[in-house]
Amino acid sequence: MIRAGIVGGTGYTGVELLRILASHSEVDVAVVTSRSDAGLRVDALYPSLRGSIDAIFSLPDEETLATCDVVFFATPNGTAMQMAEKLLARGVKVIDLSADFRIKNVKDWEKWYGMQHASPDLIAEAVYGLPEVNRAAIKTARLVACPGCYPTAVQLGFLPLIEQGLIDTDQLIADVKSGVSGAGRKAELATLMSETGESFKAYAVSGHRHLPEIRQGLEIAAGKSVGLTFVPHLTPMIRGIHATLYSQASADLQNIQTLYEKRYAQEHFVDVLPNGAHPDTRNVKGSNMCQIAVHQPQGGRTIVVLSVIDNLVKGAAGQAIQNMNLMFGLAEEHGLKIVALYP
Amino acid sequence: MIRAGIVGGTGYTGVELLRILASHSEVDVAVVTSRSDAGLRVDALYPSLRGSIDAIFSLPDEETLATCDVVFFATPNGTAMQMAEKLLARGVKVIDLSADFRIKNVKDWEKWYGMQHASPDLIAEAVYGLPEVNRAAIKTARLVACPGCYPTAVQLGFLPLIEQGLIDTDQLIADVKSGVSGAGRKAELATLMSETGESFKAYAVSGHRHLPEIRQGLEIAAGKSVGLTFVPHLTPMIRGIHATLYSQASADLQNIQTLYEKRYAQEHFVDVLPNGAHPDTRNVKGSNMCQIAVHQPQGGRTIVVLSVIDNLVKGAAGQAIQNMNLMFGLAEEHGLKIVALYP
Amino acid sequence: MIRAGIVGGTGYTGVELLRILASHSEVDVAVVTSRSDAGLRVDALYPSLRGSIDAIFSLPDEETLATCDVVFFATPNGTAMQMAEKLLARGVKVIDLSADFRIKNVKDWEKWYGMQHASPDLIAEAVYGLPEVNRAAIKTARLVACPGCYPTAVQLGFLPLIEQGLIDTDQLIADVKSGVSGAGRKAELATLMSETGESFKAYAVSGHRHLPEIRQGLEIAAGKSVGLTFVPHLTPMIRGIHATLYSQASADLQNIQTLYEKRYAQEHFVDVLPNGAHPDTRNVKGSNMCQIAVHQPQGGRTIVVLSVIDNLVKGAAGQAIQNMNLMFGLAEEHGLKIVALYP
Amino acid sequence: MIRAGIVGGTGYTGVELLRILASHSEVDVAVVTSRSDAGLRVDALYPSLRGSIDAIFSLPDEETLATCDVVFFATPNGTAMQMAEKLLARGVKVIDLSADFRIKNVKDWEKWYGMQHASPDLIAEAVYGLPEVNRAAIKTARLVACPGCYPTAVQLGFLPLIEQGLIDTDQLIADVKSGVSGAGRKAELATLMSETGESFKAYAVSGHRHLPEIRQGLEIAAGKSVGLTFVPHLTPMIRGIHATLYSQASADLQNIQTLYEKRYAQEHFVDVLPNGAHPDTRNVKGSNMCQIAVHQPQGGRTIVVLSVIDNLVKGAAGQAIQNMNLMFGLAEEHGLKIVALYP
């Protein structure tokens, strides 16, 4: 059994880790920390976990966490970078669901996240936890930086075209729509039901923190710099991300459908839908799948890729557990064969 | 392996059976029928099942269904009663999710359902599939009539008080709220999102088909006739039932909380919340749990019981599988330890 | 022109006052105060008001407010009672949308609201602003206490039966469902979309602040004490209240439908639906109407009344303006003939 | 008083015409037709109109309609083209909310709408009813073809840039999101709440009927052919359209903000938000406004325009009444100064 700790167990990614790990036969959730709710039973805060998780929130404590084989950070940005080094030094593997180790360029990170990085030396070692790109490195990593939710949906959608050099990478457009759980479990006016229900809007058009992360991933695939316009939108639903990706074919394309099917043929969690399909976020709700469809409207040069995930699963907790499975030599899909909740 | 067939696999209870059975290690879904979609892959209609269910809708055919160990009817009312007898005669166990065998009084059934019963002789044999009441009979049954969604939530909420004779059974009130998936997967104006979203209403106040079913169950528990007012409401959400139950204590009550905890102490799928709690339908979404809380506002004689289920799981497909587990000698909770999807 | 001030213009009842007053031909909104947003244009906070309201939030200031003919308090409880006396002394009429002057029994008020009343002498003078009951008194009032949203829906639903002495007033049950805007515009976890969307729950079953207010109104109508169980519920929608009211007929009732139609025949804002109807909150969304239907299921002694309002209009801002019209000798419906927004 | 008729009064655009016209002081709604509901009171079908509209659905009849000054067609495509000629011949002005007269190229229309045009001669005469482009022609028109909902939001968003020749019109991208009321009031599986609630998807990526209409409008403005990729999406809300428009600046742009403000300075119903704003569909809910914001992310060449409308108002009924006001010499905003319903 893998002894797991979760730092920051009171947010949506924390409780989603608990939901999935409750059914994972190789993991024992030994420690769940929360500064605000220490002493409280986990299932008192989350009655959905009654009967499944028998744990009490504790204060985050290095000694206790060091008894774990792996520690997940489901914390706000800026926490994992304070604690990761000490845990790694004591032989604990660290899986960070926050943004602390995602960006390789420290200055870039510090600009977008507005704070000084506490552990810049670890950035180089951290492996970006997108298994469909970095599987081999993840298997041997001590520290994995899980991708953001938007970056997961956008990269999986664009990668096949970029890796094959088939599109003009100067003018990529990612128009992405997210459910409100992506904003986290924080008391804020902007995410009240009265403020977000029955309404739709774009936000952060001038620049969102996931922009440099997506660009970094696409540039690695392209082997050169790319031009990306990324517009996130808030959708009146709780879970789900839908990325609509636009690019211009740089040459005559024969069969994009086949290209995508081949690229992801061996992937457990990327599912290329039949030609002409329109993925619906409901079909991945609660599951770790990314469903993708590719289109060339009216046979023109514009390629439209549609990519959907559940932001809390493949965009956060599920992908983190997928990484854990790889790091501990388990089958990658172990505990993750969850059928989406429809309707 | 249990070889299972599903008649009427295109409705919400059908696809919910498929979702849960896909992860049930002792069941092989061998046959899924649909008159309207025969020939189509199941996962073409329900992309949420891609990778989990490898089946093709077939026409309902006695020969094929007779090869199954158990057949679930997830059909509109009036279908199971046409086919059950033949399947039973060939040794197939039948679990009916429709209303065909729920009401013991044939005339009553025919009045409320507006058709002649095709198989009145089987009604007596059919076991009402509420395991918390009929567990022993279910284990040896050939034919199980699964309770309706409203009746499940209301009966589990009222039973402890009625069984102990603690309330006035002449004036029971069940004010119950349901998500729209209870109306089924049918093209109807009334359940369009534009008609039901962001709005709330009661319906069928003059009389709903679940009224005689609930009354029958409560009368068996009471050992006498009961007076029940049942008002169903349509709530702008997809899944979930919340029953608010009102009754008058017929004597000084010492500790209702303990009464409920004892009554359901051995039950896997009925969870009595701590004193003062307010169950939330979200905490049972996708799970087979019924969560219950009991209140005596201002210490008066009025007892308020709150009871929540997922109408498609404990109110339909989950309870059907719970019954199947009992009928086949499996652990009652096998394949049903599903953690609710929160948020 | 009536010169109007609004204290607390940043909450949902404040902005709803602004929406309606923007189209009221006899009112000039001269002052809108907000401690948190003073100096900001009102339409910068509420872009829905661009082109309709040309005002800037100011700090609440007695001198400025004293220039108004009427001041609306759309503030949290505890504010109006601090300022009302001074404004009244300067000849300003005061319409309070908060709870400060609703309860005649000061001790009762202080118990339920958890603070000492700052202006107990004014309580007796304050007129409870339910025009369907207190029209004459409102016309000459200096200080009107607008009813709460739940109390409006429940009283209008119960009054005809109680006034005529037709029901047993010892066992009244009000099962009421509200949209989330009733919780106000405050940054709180409990009303995040991720917490309230797609879910339904009861709350405050042990006792809600609107209980004594409803009881007070019903007792005045009954001329004696009444027994009331009031259970509020949170519904996953923004606007709307649906009250389902249960009572026992104390005698053979001939025609409740006619009773209701006669009681409200002269009322502009109470609409008794045809026999057998089920009012839907959507049909009063944005309007000042209360729609009511009455039922006697299966011809029994239990009477079920269904009463719906928009909690922000007839349950708050609309009713306040209805009161203002009466206080200033305008037609009661002036500026309030708003057609509900359907779908 | 203008005597108005509405053909097809049972759809969402029909009832929205009724909602707005009920408060329009210069219009008397004399005739409301419906084949399916003839003989029924309008407010029996739409209780939101009780007290506002006193009419009975009648069968569509030329004689009766000919008594009107203006007839609105709120019908499915293919109906207005059958009746318009006769009504025009009898001196009735016709405002068509369907697509029958929107496309100037008959062959194009017939290809996209899959039927033969019944009245091709009238197409040339019909004026495309986008007042912000065609005001003068609308004033003298006998027959106005109201724009579709998507085309309204997209054209108003793109026009200032295209009219000034500031962008590359070969690669326009319109990523547009609509509420479900755009699908109309039809019993269809795809728009059930259980199918569209809490989910998001694109549809008709290969080609949507509004594509040729949008392209036609943009080409007139550009004076040349344009390349447009249009991807519509279904959003889990009832009302609202949000267009996110992408284009490439063809030259250094000085001040797009000023360009937009100037272009729409005299327009009542197009509101350019301050620099950096993100329009939210809630802020135009129920109103006839189009709110627009312009962005140049990271100062690059990609211009992002955000444009929101209520699909049933500025995208249908409101714009139709705006056209009617122009055709009858009324103030363009008469009866249309409706404040959006927030929250």
Side-chain angles (χ1 to χ4, degrees), chain B residues 81-132:
Chain B
M81 67 183 183
Q82 306 284 353
M83 300 177 69
E85 192 149 24
K86 291 174 192 160
L87 292 173
L88 291 171
R90 300 180 70 158
V92 180
K93 298 190 183 188
V94 170
I95 300 177
D96 181 18
L97 285 79
S98 84
D100 288 8
F101 297 103
R102 290 178 192 161
I103 307 281
K104 292 300 175 189
N105 183 317
V106 187
K107 291 212 171 134
D108 225 21
W109 189 89
E110 293 182 339
K111 186 187 87 176
W112 284 93
Y113 287 89
M115 54 181 126
Q116 205 181 345
H117 203 289
S119 197
D121 296 345
L122 277 179
I123 294 178
E125 178 185 346
V127 175
Y128 188 68
L130 194 62
E132 292 76 11

Side-chain angles (χ1 to χ4, degrees), chain A residues 271-305:
Chain A
D271 181 13
V272 180
L273 299 183
N275 206 13
H278 299 95
D280 196 326
T281 63
R282 73 172 55 250
N283 291 324
V284 298
K285 196 188 298 174
S287 97
N288 198 47
M289 297 300 299
C290 173
Q291 291 194 345
I292 292 179
V294 285
H295 293 258
Q296 264 186 291
Q298 292 95 50
R301 282 187 53 219
T302 304
I303 301 171
V304 179
V305 180

Side-chain angles (χ1 to χ4, degrees), chain B residues 136-153:
Chain B
I138 294 165
K139 286 182 179 174
T140 59
R142 295 192 308 161
L143 169 60
V144 165
C146 290
C149 49
Y150 286 125
T152 296

Side-chain angles (χ1 to χ4, degrees), chain A:
Chain A
M1 292 291 274
I2 301 166
R3 187 173 162 85
I6 298 175
V7 181
T10 56
Y12 291 137
T13 53
V15 67
E16 189 69 350
L17 282 168
L18 290 166
R19 177 181 75 94
I20 301 175
L21 291 176
S23 306
H24 193 294
S25 64
E26 301 297 318
V27 174
D28 174 39
V29 178
V31 184
V32 187
T33 82
S34 164
R35 290 196 183 276
S36 54
D37 294 292
L40 195 67
R41 279 189 63 84
V42 170
D43 62 6
L45 196 62
Y46 295 121
S48 61
L49 296 172
R50 286 171 63 91
S52 302
I53 293 288
D54 185 22
I56 291 170
F57 288 116
S58 59
L59 286 173
D61 167 65
E62 189 190 324
E63 289 307 311
T64 317
L65 290 168
T67 67
C68 297
D69 300 306
V70 63
V71 167
F72 294 91
F73 282 87
T75 42
N77 302 319
T79 299
M81 67 184 183
Q82 306 284 352
M83 299 177 70
E85 191 148 23
K86 291 175 192 159
L87 292 173
L88 290 171
R90 299 179 70 157
V92 180
K93 299 191 183 188
V94 171
I95 300 177
D96 181 19
L97 285 79
S98 83
D100 288 7
F101 298 102
R102 291 178 191 161
I103 307 280
K104 293 299 175 189
N105 182 318
V106 187
K107 291 215 169 129
D108 225 20
W109 189 89
E110 293 182 339
K111 186 186 86 174
W112 284 93
Y113 288 89
M115 52 182 128
Q116 204 180 344
H117 204 289
S119 197
D121 296 345
L122 277 178
I123 294 178
E125 178 184 348
V127 175
Y128 188 69
L130 194 61
E132 293 76 10
V133 172
N134 287 338
R135 183 166 288 114
I138 293 164
K139 285 182 179 174
T140 58
R142 293 193 311 161
L143 169 60
V144 165
C146 290
C149 49
Y150 286 125
T152 297
V154 175
Q155 289 177 81
L156 292 176
F158 266 139
L159 281 175
L161 290 168
I162 292 181
E163 289 169 349
Q164 299 300 321
L166 300 174
I167 54 173
D168 175 356
T169 51
D170 289 342
Q171 288 183 27
L172 304 175
I173 290 172
D175 187 290
V176 196
K177 302 85 174 172
S178 175
V180 297
S181 61
R185 191 169 170 275
K186 285 169 297 192
E188 286 180 343
L189 271 182
T191 46
L192 293 185
M193 177 146 177
S194 295
E195 297 294 317
T196 56
E198 283 292 302
S199 199
F200 189 93
K201 67 169 180 180
Y203 67 102
V205 177
S206 61
H208 183 282
R209 287 170 171 183
H210 285 174
L211 174 63
E213 180 185 343
I214 300 171
R215 201 158 43 197
Q216 169 183 278
L218 300 184
E219 290 183 343
I220 291 170
K224 60 178 176 183
S225 72
V226 307
L228 171 69
T229 300
F230 166 54
V231 177
H233 301 75
L234 197 59
T235 304
M237 61 187 189
I238 297 173
R239 286 172 179 250
I241 281 185
H242 184 291
T244 313
L245 309 174
Y246 301 89
S247 60
Q248 304 297 317
S250 53
D252 273 7
L253 294 186
Q254 293 307 312
N255 198 331
I256 323 180
Q257 179 70 23
T258 305
L259 169 73
Y260 273 74
E261 289 177 0
K262 280 190 182 162
R263 173 60 177 86
Y264 292 124
Q266 305 306 316
E267 293 297 340
H268 280 288
F269 298 115
V270 184
D271 181 13
V272 180
L273 299 183
N275 206 13
H278 299 95
D280 196 326
T281 63
R282 73 172 55 250
N283 291 324
V284 298
K285 196 188 298 174
S287 97
N288 198 47
M289 297 300 299
C290 173
Q291 291 194 345
I292 292 179
V294 285
H295 293 258
Q296 264 186 291
Q298 292 95 50
R301 282 187 53 219
T302 304
I303 301 171
V304 179
V305 180
L306 312 173
S307 165
V308 303
I309 60 169
D310 183 322
N311 54 303
L312 296 179
V313 192
K314 183 62 176 166
Q319 188 148 264
I321 293 166
Q322 187 180 354
N323 282 319
M324 180 203 74
N325 286 341
L326 289 169
M327 294 163 82
F328 285 84
L330 300 174
E332 189 169 340
E333 71 275 23
H334 195 105
L336 288 170
K337 301 181 78 165
I338 306 165
V339 183
L341 193 69
Y342 162 89

Side-chain angles (χ1 to χ4, degrees), chain B residues 139-195:
Chain B
K139 286 182 179 174
T140 59
R142 295 192 308 161
L143 169 60
V144 165
C146 290
C149 49
Y150 286 125
T152 296
V154 175
Q155 290 178 81
L156 292 176
F158 267 138
L159 282 175
L161 290 168
I162 292 181
E163 289 169 350
Q164 300 299 322
L166 300 174
I167 53 173
D168 175 357
T169 51
D170 288 343
Q171 288 182 27
L172 305 175
I173 290 172
D175 187 292
V176 196
K177 302 85 175 172
S178 174
V180 297
S181 63
R185 191 170 169 275
K186 286 168 297 192
E188 287 182 342
L189 272 182
T191 46
L192 292 185
M193 177 146 178
S194 296
E195 297 293 317

Side-chain angles (χ1 to χ4, degrees), chain B residues 171 175 177 194-200 202 204-206 229 231 233 237-238 244 246 278 280-282 298 342, chain C residues 171 175 177 194-200 202 204-206 231 233 237-238 244 246 278 280-282 298 342:
Chain B
Q171 288 182 27
D175 187 292
K177 302 85 175 172
S194 296
E195 297 293 317
T196 57
E198 282 292 301
S199 199
F200 188 93
V205 177
S206 62
T229 300
V231 177
H233 300 75
M237 61 187 187
I238 297 173
T244 313
Y246 301 88
H278 298 96
D280 196 326
T281 63
R282 74 172 54 250
Q298 294 94 48
Y342 162 89
Chain C
Q171 287 183 28
D175 187 292
K177 302 85 176 172
S194 295
E195 298 293 317
T196 57
E198 282 292 302
S199 199
F200 188 93
V205 178
S206 62
V231 177
H233 301 75
M237 61 187 189
I238 296 174
T244 312
Y246 301 89
H278 299 96
D280 196 327
T281 63
R282 73 171 55 250
Q298 293 95 48
Y342 161 89

